[in-house]
């Protein structure tokens, strides 16, 4: 990544904010109100903190020309009470209609997810949006197929004593796997819950923080879906099947060169919850 970075000495007011926010320590100020100097420019990760924090537009960064810098009106942000209500209201709503999620809604959800932070600002998270019915069915088929293979293995009389010893809690899922297969074969779609869209969130295998980055992205997208009135369900069963299979066949079927770390199923709800319920008392340890 070729970085060109400089300070406009004429407009800089030497407030030192760029010094305080740069994660790479590129900006240096020897004394309060002293001149801002640059060092280790090659270590810049392109996060844009310096450009975003400068009150006079004095930081000149080739990755962030003026047309890519936008003012923030903090009066437009939700209040803490509104944000807390959104968190309390967010819930997996599996009562999904046949009405497709509007494409512009899907775009907004992906944009919100894309805005999530990534480790070292690597920005190596990508998204695959699936709305084709056959491809959606394929995701469910894949999941049930993997579970069926797991079920056959763990019910093998020769393997059962070993599996029980090594993974004692696995057998409580046997009835669940069998029920999922029955409902899938009956056309009830117990995996995607008749979602009309799925967003696969993935990253190259070389990304050490792919899982963490993908799930941060999921949270952003989930909150945006709630704001838009779109039902969203975390696809834990599908992700479990991906881990069990460990061959990446689902990713390959969509031309994804990497690993899928988070999956969001989406649909327009038949209704919205009129209430929220309290959770267990929060457990906090303070020092």
């Amino acid at each position: 990544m070729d970085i060109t970075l400089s300070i406009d000495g004429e407009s800089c007011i030497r407030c030192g904010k760029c010094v305080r926010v740069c994660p790479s320590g590129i900006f240096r100020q020897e004394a309060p109100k002293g001149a801002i100097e640059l060092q280790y420019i090659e270590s810049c990760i392109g996060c844009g903190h310096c450009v975003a924090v400068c009150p006079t537009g004095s930081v000149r960064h080739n990755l962030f020309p003026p047309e890519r810098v936008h003012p923030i009106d903090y009066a437009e942000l939700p209040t803490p009470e509104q944000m807390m209500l959104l968190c309390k209201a967010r819930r997996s709503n599996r009562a999904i209609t046949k009405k497709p999620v509007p494409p512009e809604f899907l775009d907004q959800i992906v944009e919100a997810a894309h805005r999530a932070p990534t480790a070292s600002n690597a920005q190596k998270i990508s998204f695959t949006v699936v709305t084709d019915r056959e491809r959606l069915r394929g995701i469910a088929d894949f999941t049930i197929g993997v579970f069926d293979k797991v079920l056959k293995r763990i019910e093998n009389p020769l393997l059962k004593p070993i599996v029980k010893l090594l993974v004692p809690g696995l057998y409580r899922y046997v009835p669940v796997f069998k029920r999922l297969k029955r409902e899938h074969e009956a056309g009830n779609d117990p995996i995607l819950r008749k979602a009309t869209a799925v967003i696969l969130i993935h990253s190259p295998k070389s990304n050490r923080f792919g899982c963490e980055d993908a799930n941060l992205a999921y949270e952003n997208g989930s909150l945006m879906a709630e704001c838009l009135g779109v039902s969203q369900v975390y696809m834990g069963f599908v992700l479990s099947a991906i881990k069990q299979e460990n061959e990446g066949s689902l990713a390959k079927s969509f031309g994804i060169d990497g690993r899928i770390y988070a999956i969001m199923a989406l649909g327009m709800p038949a209704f919205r919850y009129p209430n929220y319920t309290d959770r267990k008392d929060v457990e906090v340890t303070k020092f």
Side-chain angles (χ1 to χ4, degrees):
M1 182 167 56
D2 294 326
I3 299 296
T4 302
L5 183 59
S6 63
I7 302 291
D8 184 341
E10 293 295 322
S11 59
C12 177
I13 60 174
R14 303 184 178 186
C15 63
K17 292 178 180 177
C18 54
V19 179
R20 299 178 68 179
V21 301
C22 179
S24 300
I26 294 171
F27 298 82
R28 184 177 65 178
Q29 188 176 38
E30 292 293 340
K33 293 298 180 180
I36 304 296
E37 299 176 352
L38 301 175
Q39 59 184 356
Y40 316 124
I41 295 177
E42 68 279 1
S43 66
C44 175
I45 62 173
C47 65
H49 286 351
C50 56
V51 178
V53 80
C54 183
T56 59
S58 301
V59 179
R60 305 297 169 82
H61 199 302
N62 66 308
L63 296 183
F64 305 100
E67 63 270 19
R68 295 195 63 198
V69 183
H70 312 280
I72 300 172
D73 183 356
Y74 282 94
E76 292 292 317
L77 296 184
T79 65
E81 293 78 14
Q82 289 171 331
M83 187 64 213
M84 183 60 75
L85 181 59
L86 176 61
C87 292
K88 291 176 177 178
R90 188 178 59 163
R91 181 178 289 270
S92 296
N93 186 346
R94 295 172 172 82
I96 294 173
T97 67
K98 294 181 180 180
K99 182 180 179 181
V101 180
E104 61 271 21
F105 284 11
L106 293 173
D107 290 344
Q108 285 180 271
I109 292 167
V110 169
E111 171 65 13
H114 175 63
R115 289 283 179 175
T118 56
S120 299
N121 193 44
Q123 297 185 50
K124 291 183 178 179
I125 294 298
S126 300
F127 306 88
T128 297
V129 180
V130 185
T131 56
D132 180 82
R133 289 185 179 180
E134 290 302 314
R135 301 305 295 267
L136 292 172
R137 171 77 184 193
I139 296 173
D141 288 342
F142 161 81
T143 305
I144 294 298
V146 171
F147 286 170
D148 196 35
K149 290 178 182 177
V150 171
L151 191 59
K152 289 176 181 176
R153 286 200 299 267
I154 65 178
E155 289 196 315
N156 184 318
L158 297 176
L159 295 176
K160 202 167 186 177
I162 300 174
V163 176
K164 275 192 172 182
L165 181 65
L166 296 176
V167 196
L170 183 60
Y171 281 88
R172 69 187 181 93
Y173 289 102
V174 169
V176 176
F177 291 164
K178 290 182 177 180
R179 174 180 58 80
L180 291 174
K181 183 179 179 181
R182 287 196 304 270
E183 290 189 12
H184 180 71
E185 291 175 346
N188 295 326
D189 194 10
I191 302 300
L192 300 187
R193 303 288 181 162
K194 301 188 184 301
T196 59
V198 162
I199 298 177
L200 308 173
I201 307 177
H202 44 92
S203 185
K205 294 179 181 179
S206 59
N207 183 7
R208 290 178 55 206
F209 301 100
C211 182
E212 293 82 356
D213 290 347
N215 281 281
L216 285 171
Y218 183 100
E219 287 302 314
N220 266 26
S222 174
L223 289 169
M224 177 56 76
E226 191 69 40
C227 288
L228 292 167
V230 177
S231 290
Q232 57 81 31
V233 183
Y234 192 85
M235 290 287 96
F237 280 139
V238 186
L239 291 168
S240 178
I242 289 172
K243 290 179 182 178
Q244 289 291 333
E245 188 228 23
N246 199 31
E247 294 177 10
S249 63
L250 184 64
K252 291 174 185 175
S253 72
F254 287 100
I256 296 171
D257 183 17
R259 292 177 179 168
I260 300 170
Y261 289 108
I263 306 174
M264 183 185 302
L266 299 156
M268 299 309 295
F271 47 78
R272 299 184 78 175
Y273 289 88
N275 307 297
Y276 71 82
T277 58
D278 290 333
R279 297 179 69 84
K280 295 179 181 178
D281 291 341
V282 61
E283 295 184 11
V284 181
T285 301
K286 296 181 179 180
F287 295 94

